[in-house]
Amino acid sequence: MTKQLQQLDRVVIRFAGDSGDGMQLTGDRFTSETAQFGNDLSTLPNFPAEIRAPAGTLPGVSSFQVHFASFDILTPGDAPDVLVAMNPAALKANLGDLPPGAEIIVNTDEFSKRALQKVGYAVSPLEDASLAGYSVHPVPLTSLTVRALEGHTISKKDAERAKNMFALGLLSWLYHRPSESTLAFLERKFASRPELVAANIAAFKAGWAFGETTEDFTVQYEVKPAPMPKGDYRNITGNVALAYGLVAAGVRSELPVFLGAYPITPASDILHELSKHKKFGVTTVQAEDEIAAIGLALGASYGGAIGVTTTSGPGVALKGETISLAVALELPLVVVDVQRAGPSTGMPTKTEQADLNMALFGRHGEAPVAVIAPQSPADCFMAALEAVQIAITYRTPVLLLSDGYLANGSEPWLLPDVEALPDLRVSFATAPNTPDGRFLPYQRDPETLARPWAVPGTPGLEHRIGGIEKADGTGDISYDPDNHHHMVVTRQAKIDGIPVPDVAVDDPTGNARVLVLGWGSTYGPIGAACRALRKRGLDVASAHLRNLAPLPANLGDVLAAYDTVIVPEMNMGQLAHVLRARYLVDVVGYNKVRGLPFTSHELEAEVERVLNDQH
Amino acid sequence: MTSTELPLRLTAKDFKSDQEVRWCPGCGDYAILAAMQGFLPELGIACENTVFVSGIGCSSRFPYYLSTYGLHSIHGRAPAIATGLSVSRPDLSVWVVTGDGDALSIGGNHLIHALRRNVNLKILLFNNRIYGLTKGQYSPTSELGKVTKSTPAGSADWPFNPISLALGAEASFVARTIDSDRKHLTSVLRAAAEHRGSAFVEIYQNCNIFNDGAFDILKEPETRDAALIRLEHGQPLIFGDKCVVKDPRGFGLRVVPTDTVAASEIIQHDETVTEPAYAFALSRLPEADLSHTPIGVFRNVTRPVYDDMVRDQITAAQTAGPGDLAALLRTGDTWTLS
Ligand SMILES: Cc1ncc(C[n+]2csc(CCOP(=O)(O)OP(=O)(O)O)c2C)c(N)n1
Ligand code: SF4
Ligand SMILES: [Mg+2]
């Protein structure tokens, strides 16, 4: 039958099913096809906190959202245009997020009485009027898959399992996606079991053919490729980008990378990823606890490596004393905090930005460190390189604040030219540094205020350092009151003197009176909201902070230039607090902690509200 | 440490730093420092290749007084920091100096994990059975009922036996010595230095300010011979007029008058027994008053060393040449926009 072809400029699809239904994989493959096609895209996986919640229950629902478009996009999308629901739980858990008119593809085979009861449906929503406002496509995905695989020598269970590939085939047809990468992927994934390669490919093709033939789908959609800079791309999540950034920092500094880590969601994948890259001289140690993890990293830094520890908020809390030690020792150290919803265990798989206070202030004594926050998944790569650069140049701990959204979200990444990455080489002290041939471990570089990095094994530079206050210069223990004051001031001045780029303001008309200022992963939704407002003819400026300590030198002037500054944060106003204290500017917070990224719509509405208040 | 260079001719003076030593006069730490400064030259390791890492406590001031590299860190964490250093720098001889509170209370976790991993560290635990630096609270090795500022009615804590603990943590080298016996102290340090892997040495150290005389029974000429069991590899366990035999009532060892047993029943010390039960049984011999305390090397066995295994994995991964960063970044599906 001939199908209508409709052009769209953007689509948001959410694949949802039971943890065991392979929705992350399905989403991943659809994303890859979409990337190959040349759309811009952004993804947001949403995992259950439980590893294996009981099948068919609401806590067991796992989903993957992908937003793709013919223009450059900034977020994984506020609300799905299409929901693929593999069972009643997936339908129920996601229905509330759907705008009226959204398309729902449901696997009717799973809507048994028992399955419905499990999630509290007395009557099947497919049979009453509850889905009347949506465009529903009931598809018996499981049985169609099993039928398509008749004749394949695989178990019934394996045949049923392939239903996610049937769904992927159907969606790939529906959105005109190229299928080569998925077919190649299946060959690779099941290489050791050829019968599964054949079955999964057959299921995928059956799904595609079903779309072509069934009368239920009368329209096929096309989303044209987005104009993006030329070059080679891949799709990347924040955690992988961060790990690659650390590997790259090792290569560009010609120093070994040493990771001490203790497993914690959502940071563990950085440990997993780095553990694979021993070829690059990366050492990873899974320590006995968070405190040991940072201790190991600091010991390695003392010995001349790039010491790194990766964790989430609860881990940073445990590492505080050692971060202060590193401040006093003035040794390089990179502490990665992949923030999650707290306090305490909170919601480990959900995102939040509530560790900013801890990063800036969460230590005993005056213990300033540099703090940097990436703004998108791919940006984690450069943020990691920058963190290492600051750490080894200034011999200081650097806190890198990622979060659960950046960690697991993904976007296309224009592969950088490796040779053009910053040169991170620094030199160790090799000779005495006084005219009379002595070595003073705290004699500072007048430019950076950094002390020499004198690693054990260097003859003639033997010295003793520790957490006790040291006399500047000699590094000898000192309880001299004036020296302590001087050292506190100097350690702060060292951090304040780290050059960070000015914050750039996006104010296309130059007429805006309202500035929206964010930091970290809110970059996407803030950007999308401001674009939408500008499209409607409203004037609004936006700016984003990457360096939170030290802050950009022009920030005070930027804040002063606007009548109102709105600061959206996934916390209760931690940056806002800093800005008020530091610049005496009465910024307006927009604060929500729902464990989810902001939607661009809510920010658009909030900014509009403020704009209206202006008049 | 293997070296093809000419042996270094260093003296104790070469290992003294310019810092003024600040322990209380009469503290046992002085004797340990002197023994260490006297012993380090014989190792033939250059000052610059030796690192002392310590935690916090009187004992942990140790690194300041040596002319090697030294890192005085934070309370309890020295084994973790030293592990990071040792794993990343095989060329260094790394020593940890810690106290009974530092190692067994706040840092207990790091100690047992360093030992079980068999990191190439020499860990010296100065056990004075008290918190010295914080002015005299009881410690995890203080005897039950210990009256201190924080336990005016006597402590209710059952003490750790550090040797038993180290053995339980699967330490490959475990020894005990005493601050005042320079010769014995030096011989134990020597054996520890020669061991590859974690070497755990408990050093009984007198805190003459807050726990004076804690080890007098092992030091006074009138009592020591009947109280001290000197462990010597291959030698029968005979001391004073007593000896050590198997305990017929259980799995352990016990002390009996030598003239009540046949010579063949007396245990011959063997520090290389793989099964830790023997060394553990030895560690249980002391009575509450420290009579029947073995000193010397309890256990000295060979076990894969953590540092080596971690580095071997890296070397193996690099046999086909170093990593290619550009290739790494394009792992998986890529596409080109032209
Ligand atoms: C995090 C932390 N908690 C507490 C202290 C206080 N403190 C310093 S040393 C010490 C106990 C030291 O006892 P021990 O390890 O036996 O060493 P000694 O002084 O007896 O040699 C304590 C509790 C500290 N420095 N850091
Ligand atoms: S308090 Fe005790 S352990 Fe500390 S220095 Fe004085 S005597 Fe030595
Ligand atoms: Mg003590």
Side-chain angles (χ1 to χ4, degrees):
Chain A
M1 93 179 250
T2 44
K3 307 264 176 173
Q4 213 182 311
L5 190 66
Q6 191 178 324
Q7 299 290 334
L8 297 174
D9 59 358
R10 49 172 291 269
V11 178
V12 179
I13 300 179
R14 186 181 293 177
F15 296 90
D18 201 59
S19 304
D21 286 342
M23 289 299 98
Q24 301 302 325
L25 182 112
T26 310
D28 245 15
R29 290 328 310 164
F30 190 87
T31 301
S32 190
E33 294 173 1
T34 296
Q36 306 271 334
F37 186 70
N39 294 127
D40 194 15
L41 65 87
S42 172
T43 72
L44 175 69
N46 195 352
F47 318 105
E50 290 78 14
I51 305 301
R52 291 273 181 270
T57 61
L58 290 172
V61 174
S62 166
S63 70
F64 186 102
Q65 182 162 312
V66 51
H67 180 192
F68 57 103
S70 60
F71 56 92
D72 80 305
I73 51 172
L74 297 167
T75 74
D78 289 357
D81 303 306
V82 182
L83 172 69
V84 179
M86 300 299 279
N87 65 7
L91 179 67
K92 186 156 195 187
N94 291 287
L95 197 57
D97 295 340
L98 299 187
E103 296 201 54
I104 305 176
I105 299 172
V106 272
N107 180 10
T108 52
D109 287 329
E110 303 297 325
F111 280 62
S112 67
K113 206 163 177 181
R114 232 186 111 232
L116 289 163
Q117 273 169 356
K118 252 192 207 168
V119 293
Y121 278 126
V123 183
S124 169
L126 304 179
E127 279 151 29
D128 63 14
S130 55
L131 301 181
Y134 306 97
S135 159
V136 183
H137 304 274
V139 182
L141 282 168
T142 315
S143 50
L144 285 173
T145 306
V146 171
R147 208 168 319 138
L149 298 185
E150 271 168 15
H152 284 257
T153 49
I154 56 168
S155 68
K156 175 142 186 280
K157 209 167 157 205
D158 280 337
E160 286 177 353
R161 272 219 184 121
K163 64 180 179 289
N164 64 333
M165 285 301 117
F166 188 99
L168 180 62
L170 173 58
L171 271 289
S172 300
W173 168 81
L174 194 57
Y175 290 96
H176 251 252
R177 304 287 94 181
S179 53
E180 297 76 27
S181 71
T182 292
L183 302 182
F185 167 84
L186 291 171
E187 301 266 6
R188 279 200 309 275
K189 178 168 166 74
F190 297 112
S192 62
R193 295 189 59 191
E195 74 281 11
L196 289 184
V197 175
N200 278 281
I201 289 179
F204 179 87
K205 290 189 168 160
W208 185 289
F210 176 77
E212 273 177 343
T213 49
T214 183
E215 309 217 328
D216 192 12
F217 293 96
T218 52
V219 189
Q220 204 184 3
Y221 301 99
E222 192 172 60
V223 180
K224 288 256 159 65
M228 294 205 282
K230 288 185 174 50
D232 290 352
Y233 284 81
R234 62 166 286 167
N235 199 50
I236 197 157
T237 64
N239 271 350
V240 173
L242 209 155
Y244 283 1
L246 293 171
V247 173
V251 171
R252 300 299 291 170
S253 63
E254 298 174 4
L255 293 174
V257 173
F258 187 106
L259 174 74
Y262 189 76
I264 184 168
T265 301
S268 302
D269 280 340
I270 306 174
L271 164 63
H272 304 159
E273 185 61 39
L274 282 175
S275 304
K276 295 186 218 160
H277 304 307
K278 298 187 167 47
K279 215 176 163 42
F280 292 88
V282 176
T283 302
T284 56
V285 174
Q286 181 178 317
E288 59 270 24
D289 60 33
E290 299 282 4
I291 301 175
I294 189 172
L296 284 153
L298 183 60
S301 281
Y302 174 59
I306 301 171
V308 183
T309 189
T310 50
T311 186
S312 187
V316 179
L318 287 169
K319 294 177 198 293
E321 190 192 10
T322 311
I323 300 174
S324 286
L325 174 64
V327 168
L329 294 178
E330 302 193 39
L331 283 171
L333 186 64
V334 174
V335 179
V336 176
D337 177 358
V338 186
Q339 301 165 93
R340 64 188 214 185
S344 190
T345 307
M347 303 196 288
T349 56
K350 310 294 174 202
T351 196
E352 204 159 277
Q353 293 184 298
D355 294 348
L356 178 62
N357 276 345
M358 179 163 63
L360 292 171
F361 311 117
R363 287 167 296 282
H364 61 282
E366 295 286 354
V369 300
V371 180
I372 191 168
Q375 64 186 32
S376 75
D379 185 40
C380 290
F381 179 82
M382 282 311 290
L385 271 167
E386 286 169 35
V388 171
Q389 182 166 36
I390 293 172
I392 61 181
T393 309
Y394 291 84
R395 334 277 199 233
T396 176
V398 178
L399 270 121
L400 195 165
L401 290 177
S402 177
D403 66 30
Y405 162 61
L406 296 177
N408 293 314
S410 75
E411 64 180 346
W413 181 37
L414 176 60
L415 293 172
D417 172 5
V418 167
E419 297 305 320
L421 293 173
D423 180 351
L424 302 190
R425 284 173 301 178
V426 295
S427 37
F428 294 139
T430 52
N433 55 4
T434 67
D436 60 347
R438 287 180 309 146
F439 176 66
L440 304 183
Y442 277 76
Q443 179 161 295
R444 298 171 188 283
D445 179 308
E447 191 80 0
T448 60
L449 296 181
R451 74 176 192 90
W453 195 358
V455 303
T458 316
L461 306 192
E462 296 87 347
H463 62 279
R464 276 66 50 193
I465 51 174
I468 301 184
E469 187 61 283
K470 290 152 290 285
D472 208 8
T474 65
D476 290 344
I477 290 177
S478 169
Y479 285 87
D480 179 71
D482 292 330
N483 174 71
H484 177 57
H485 182 77
H486 164 76
M487 288 295 270
V488 167
V489 169
T490 303
R491 287 186 286 254
Q492 183 68 55
K494 183 175 78 165
I495 297 299
D496 292 344
I498 297 170
V500 305
D502 274 353
V503 62
V505 179
D506 187 12
D507 181 4
T509 61
N511 296 329
R513 301 311 317 143
V514 171
L515 170 74
V516 187
L517 178 72
W519 68 275
S521 76
T522 54
Y523 173 78
I526 291 175
C530 290
R531 276 187 196 174
L533 289 161
R534 289 170 194 149
K535 245 192 197 157
R536 292 164 45 204
L538 299 170
D539 289 321
V540 61
S542 58
H544 210 71
L545 286 175
R546 177 188 191 69
N547 297 93
L548 294 146
L551 288 161
N554 69 334
L555 183 57
D557 292 342
V558 166
L559 295 175
Y562 293 88
D563 295 343
T564 307
V565 179
I566 309 175
V567 182
E569 295 179 85
M570 295 185 286
N571 61 41
M572 295 314 285
Q574 299 187 7
L575 176 65
H577 203 96
V578 170
L579 298 176
R580 285 160 166 264
R582 172 90 186 255
Y583 301 103
L584 300 178
V585 171
D586 190 15
V587 304
V588 180
Y590 180 75
N591 306 99
K592 268 201 181 166
V593 281
R594 300 177 60 245
L596 294 169
F598 288 129
T599 66
S600 53
H601 279 111
E602 67 176 312
L603 294 182
E604 188 181 335
E606 172 64 12
V607 177
E608 192 170 7
R609 192 186 63 73
V610 173
L611 284 171
N612 290 337
D613 279 0
Q614 296 270 302
H615 307 300
Chain B
M1 220 61 17
T2 51
S3 167
T4 51
E5 286 164 37
L6 281 178
L8 283 163
R9 235 165 269 131
L10 296 166
T11 67
K13 237 184 94 225
D14 294 312
F15 285 92
K16 280 187 185 134
S17 78
D18 59 355
Q19 300 293 302
E20 184 194 337
V21 184
R22 302 246 185 117
W23 289 308
C24 305
C27 175
D29 290 345
Y30 282 96
I32 306 174
L33 178 64
M36 182 59 89
Q37 285 164 339
F39 153 75
L40 281 176
E42 75 172 60
L43 277 182
I45 298 173
C47 273
E48 71 265 18
N49 290 331
T50 303
V51 187
F52 279 80
V53 182
S54 64
I56 297 291
C58 296
S59 36
S60 288
R61 293 292 183 103
F62 203 81
Y64 286 115
Y65 308 136
L66 293 165
S67 60
T68 63
Y69 279 88
L71 182 52
H72 179 218
S73 73
I74 46 177
H75 203 18
R77 316 302 171 196
I81 294 169
T83 297
L85 179 63
S86 181
V87 171
S88 55
R89 291 291 304 274
D91 54 326
L92 302 175
S93 167
V94 184
W95 297 70
V96 170
V97 174
T98 178
D100 40 321
D102 194 63
L104 301 173
S105 210
I106 195 165
N109 203 28
H110 309 308
L111 178 74
I112 58 176
H113 288 275
L115 295 177
R116 95 175 148 89
R117 291 190 181 111
N118 205 25
V119 184
N120 195 23
L121 301 174
K122 315 303 151 209
I123 301 173
L124 312 181
L125 190 163
F126 294 16
N127 183 6
N128 52 16
R129 308 188 74 181
I130 202 82
Y131 282 6
L133 192 69
T134 47
K135 304 199 172 148
Q137 300 83 2
Y138 78 110
S139 89
T141 57
S142 297
E143 57 277 21
L144 192 66
K146 182 83 172 174
V147 174
T148 70
K149 275 181 223 158
S150 60
T151 50
S155 101
D157 289 30
W158 189 260
F160 265 140
N161 175 328
I163 300 285
S164 302
L165 183 80
L167 290 165
E170 312 258 344
S172 57
F173 180 102
V174 179
R176 177 189 285 137
T177 184
I178 304 182
D179 56 1
S180 55
D181 188 342
R182 169 113 177 221
K183 204 167 142 235
H184 190 267
L185 180 54
T186 304
S187 73
V188 168
L189 291 179
R190 188 178 298 126
E194 282 167 4
H195 178 75
R196 253 197 84 69
S198 294
F200 175 82
V201 180
E202 179 187 21
I203 306 174
Y204 281 161
Q205 173 245 324
N206 192 42
C207 168
N208 54 309
I209 303 296
F210 297 112
N211 201 18
D212 195 21
F215 307 105
D216 275 0
I217 184 177
L218 307 175
K219 296 180 175 182
E220 298 299 331
E222 313 83 68
T223 52
R224 69 183 175 206
D225 292 341
L228 265 187
I229 309 175
R230 290 177 178 271
L231 303 175
E232 276 167 55
H233 186 63
Q235 296 301 311
L237 295 177
I238 303 174
F239 62 105
D241 55 4
K242 301 202 195 87
C243 67
V244 178
V245 296
K246 271 195 188 141
D247 186 346
R249 294 164 307 181
F251 304 98
L253 300 172
R254 69 171 176 154
V255 171
V256 294
T258 312
D259 57 13
T260 60
V261 293
S264 60
E265 288 178 63
I266 302 173
I267 301 286
Q268 271 213 359
H269 182 53
D270 181 357
E271 62 193 34
T272 66
V273 178
T274 320
E275 178 50 52
Y278 162 64
F280 189 83
L282 278 179
S283 77
R284 311 307 294 171
L285 287 174
E287 308 285 340
D289 69 352
L290 296 191
S291 57
H292 309 162
T293 294
I295 61 168
V297 179
F298 287 68
R299 174 175 167 83
N300 185 1
V301 300
T302 308
R303 189 148 73 68
V305 176
Y306 183 73
D307 320 33
D308 297 342
M309 291 188 286
V310 171
R311 286 191 300 260
D312 286 352
Q313 289 186 354
I314 294 193
T315 316
Q318 290 180 325
T319 44
D324 174 348
L325 182 59
L328 172 70
L329 302 188
R330 44 176 67 242
T331 316
D333 293 341
T334 59
W335 66 96
T336 305
L337 294 185
S338 44

